[in-house]
Amino acid sequence: MQTLNEMEKKLINGWQKGFPLTKRPYAKMAADLQISEAQVIELLASLKERGILSRVGAVVRPNTVAASSLVAMNIEPDELDYVAGIVCAEPQVNHNYEREGELNLWFVVAAPSLEELHVILARIEKRSGYKTIKLPLTKAYHIDLGFQI
Amino acid sequence: MTQMKKRSNRIDATDRLIITATQHGLPLLARPYDEIARQTGLSAQLVKQRMSAMLENGIIRRMGAVPNHYRLGYRANGMSVWDMEEARIDDIGGLVGGLYFVSHCYQRPRCLPLWPYNFFAMVHARSKREVEAKVARIAHLVGEASRSHTILYSSKILKKTGIRLKERREETCSD
């Protein structure tokens, strides 16, 4: 687990929303954190490099710019690695988790359109010999205000 | 609940261009919007205007630092799934979606007989025990509206990347 210093915590807790839409946004953050603009940029680069931040930018509402679906599969345990390899090989699979239970392989596919999404799933089914169970979201309830650490 | 209001889902080619150019994050340069403008051929002014409008209408939920829960020690990552009474699901969604430890909260279709659950709430915690305690809090909120629930734990993250609008063939499983 990564340890964070006080400034890093302050930055992460304070800046998960409200990133300025101004010419020099990092300078605005710097004024808030009372450090220099260069220090803010350096800090963000370090957090990104260490994998603590996946990015600094926009969190886009699902199914706005792409068609996506959660998909589950019920795979024989000894074939799980093999099928997971097939799933991961699809560039548009962006989360792939092995989970305990009958449905043991879970992933999210995001494609530019619904048609393309179905093509990807059909390809996975054909290559793996297993069926995919599509569980697209019908409604989102989460108010994404960030995550306090 | 504002996020449940019906809003326009429409984005045009310019919006899409901006989202694609910023999907891996804004550049860590003093003038990041100038750089996006350079990459897209739009003016920095238009980039900011469009991003601001997308924030306004909810297409962009928020802008800022996007942390990786897993790297911050939240490794238990339990997906609680619920067989929820349809008539109550929106009310419950409003409550559960506002809990600080819930990172995703969605209604999804059932897939009977294999999958009876129609409500998902992803709970992040540092241990299985902590996940269970938090799911118990949800169960308390939900009461009799849920017929049954369970928690799915990820035993292994096989791949985790941000959304990709354009195919990137060089992607591998090792991310």
Side-chain angles (χ1 to χ4, degrees):
Chain A
M1 187 185 139
Q2 299 269 358
T3 47
L4 301 176
N5 66 35
E6 284 311 303
M7 184 55 74
E8 289 170 338
K9 277 188 195 164
K10 205 171 152 188
L11 190 155
I12 293 172
N13 282 333
W15 287 96
Q16 287 177 47
K17 54 177 176 164
F19 185 82
L21 280 152
T22 53
K23 196 171 182 68
R24 297 179 71 161
Y26 303 111
K28 263 207 162 158
M29 291 171 72
D32 168 62
L33 297 165
Q34 297 182 321
I35 53 176
S36 73
E37 181 188 33
Q39 282 171 318
V40 168
I41 290 174
E42 206 175 298
L43 214 53
L44 289 171
S46 156
L47 288 167
K48 227 175 133 171
E49 207 180 284
R50 284 144 65 202
I52 294 164
L53 293 184
S54 52
R55 64 183 187 279
V56 179
V59 176
V60 178
R61 192 176 53 189
N63 292 316
T64 303
V65 287
S68 68
S69 182
L70 178 69
V71 182
M73 294 175 84
N74 176 14
I75 312 290
E76 292 295 331
D78 60 341
E79 290 192 275
L80 192 59
D81 283 349
Y82 169 69
V83 177
I86 291 171
V87 172
C88 284
E90 292 291 339
Q92 289 175 308
V93 166
N94 57 47
H95 289 65
N96 189 8
Y97 287 94
E98 191 180 314
R99 287 191 186 277
E100 294 158 10
E102 211 173 346
L103 295 176
N104 50 1
L105 187 65
W106 292 76
F107 55 94
V108 177
V109 195
S113 69
L114 207 54
E115 293 70 32
E116 283 168 80
L117 193 146
H118 288 144
V119 169
I120 293 165
L121 292 181
R123 191 162 51 220
I124 289 172
E125 290 188 346
K126 198 172 165 211
R127 283 189 186 156
S128 68
Y130 283 93
K131 283 202 57 90
T132 57
I133 296 171
K134 291 166 275 294
L135 302 167
L137 74 91
T138 39
K139 209 165 207 177
Y141 298 107
H142 180 240
I143 313 154
D144 192 353
L145 299 176
F147 192 78
Q148 297 300 297
I149 55 164
Chain B
M1 311 291 311
T2 50
Q3 85 281 8
M4 277 185 247
K5 275 184 200 154
K6 198 88 186 150
R7 284 162 162 165
S8 167
N9 258 340
R10 294 250 179 89
I11 57 163
D12 67 8
T14 306
D15 293 330
R16 184 176 279 270
L17 190 62
I18 294 168
I19 291 173
T20 309
T22 59
Q23 65 183 330
H24 305 296
L26 289 163
L28 295 173
L29 300 167
R31 295 179 172 82
Y33 302 108
D34 286 7
E35 176 59 21
I36 298 301
R38 198 189 59 77
Q39 287 172 22
T40 54
L42 306 167
S43 73
Q45 187 62 26
L46 185 63
V47 170
K48 283 182 281 185
Q49 256 173 27
R50 289 300 185 100
M51 290 187 94
S52 166
M54 285 191 276
L55 255 176
E56 186 73 28
N57 65 21
I59 286 167
I60 293 178
R61 282 179 171 169
R62 62 182 171 93
M63 276 181 68
V66 183
N68 180 336
H69 297 149
Y70 192 80
R71 286 292 178 97
L72 288 166
Y74 288 82
R75 298 196 166 177
N77 181 31
M79 193 206 281
S80 69
V81 290
W82 309 74
D83 178 3
M84 203 76 82
E85 200 183 306
E86 256 79 19
R88 303 277 312 281
I89 200 162
D90 283 351
D91 289 344
I92 303 269
L95 291 174
V96 176
L99 296 170
Y100 77 93
F101 52 81
V102 170
S103 71
H104 298 75
C105 184
Y106 297 130
Q107 183 184 339
R108 298 185 185 277
R110 292 186 178 88
C111 189
L112 295 168
L114 201 52
W115 191 251
Y117 307 107
N118 59 347
F119 186 86
F120 288 56
M122 178 71 87
V123 172
H124 289 274
R126 292 185 169 87
S127 65
K128 265 193 179 178
R129 220 187 137 129
E130 203 185 318
V131 171
E132 279 159 19
K134 286 172 172 167
V135 171
R137 283 178 59 184
I138 299 177
H140 184 73
L141 270 177
V142 165
E144 288 176 359
S146 172
R147 280 172 286 262
S148 67
H149 70 273
T150 187
I151 310 171
L152 306 176
Y153 292 100
S154 54
S155 24
K156 209 161 150 194
I157 296 182
L158 302 164
K159 183 176 183 179
K160 192 172 196 307
T161 57
I163 191 168
R164 301 273 187 265
L165 285 185
K166 285 185 179 161
E167 289 208 20
R168 284 162 53 104
R169 287 283 168 206
E170 71 276 19
E171 281 295 322
T172 65
C173 234
S174 60
D175 187 2

